Amino acid sequence: MAWPDPGKMIFTKAIVRTPCRNIINGLTTTNLGPPDYEKVINQHQQYIKALEKCDLEVLVLDADEDYPDSTFVEDTALLTPYCAVIANPGAFSRKGEIIKIERVLRDYFTNIERINEPGSLDAGDILKVENHYYIGLSERTNKEGTDQLVNILMSYGSTCSTLSLEKALHLKSGVAFLGNDNLVATGEFVSKSEFQDFVILRIDADEECAANCVLVNDNVLIPMGFPNTKKSIESAGYQVIEVDVSEFRKLDGGLSCLSLRF
């Protein structure tokens, strides 16, 4: 596994799962209506191409009709330079997803850790900044889960801090680290004391979905259709790749949710 420096986000591989037809029954807090399955598949294929454009080898897992939200693989595990941590999703309907993802990760990671009941943790609540991990306390990630994760990460020499979410579903719904002390943030995260030492690229409310962007090696993947965000990130010196994930937003999903990168 090529991840030589724990402080740098250098990726060579990504794992994605093909959306299942049952995705129309996925969890959502939006009122955007059900996703169109054909559009979902097309957008997912374009997402894979974007990852490949960033020089990643992409492992595409088969669709899993037993789990409507299973295409959002990020929530099932946290991948670090030292170990893979199998999460314990906060939504009961998603807990079975971790069984299959652990089988896949055993081909790539020697050290496998896990979050156990009564702890719950969605990995979408974890933001890696160099060798420090910010962990969001949310509706899906509880204190028992964060305490377990802190103990795991500290045992491998990483540092951690926790922060409470007020409105966002996941921490990475509203904040992303782009390296060079640059942090994309929107909503409640703009004023969080934990982030005030960063250069904050503020995303206004009308483009808040674009805060879920992803630094992949020398590129920043952003959702399509947010020109102000695109301009802001490009002005900060980054090369931007736009990807349409509009159908996934109907299920509270975004760019980071759709892959495990390592």
Side-chain angles (χ1 to χ4, degrees), residues 220-242:
V220 178
L221 273 57
I222 70 168
M224 186 175 292
F226 300 99
N228 293 332
T229 300
K230 181 175 185 289
K231 181 179 179 180
S232 176
I233 294 175
E234 286 180 334
S235 296
Y238 298 94
Q239 181 172 310
V240 168
I241 299 175
E242 292 183 281

Side-chain angles (χ1 to χ4, degrees), residues 13-16 47 73-79 101 105 123 256-262:
K13 298 179 178 64
I15 297 171
V16 304
Y47 179 75
V73 291
E74 180 185 55
D75 289 325
T76 62
L78 174 67
L79 306 186
I101 206 69
L105 292 177
S256 71
C257 312
L258 290 168
S259 63
L260 287 165
R261 304 161 299 280
F262 60 106

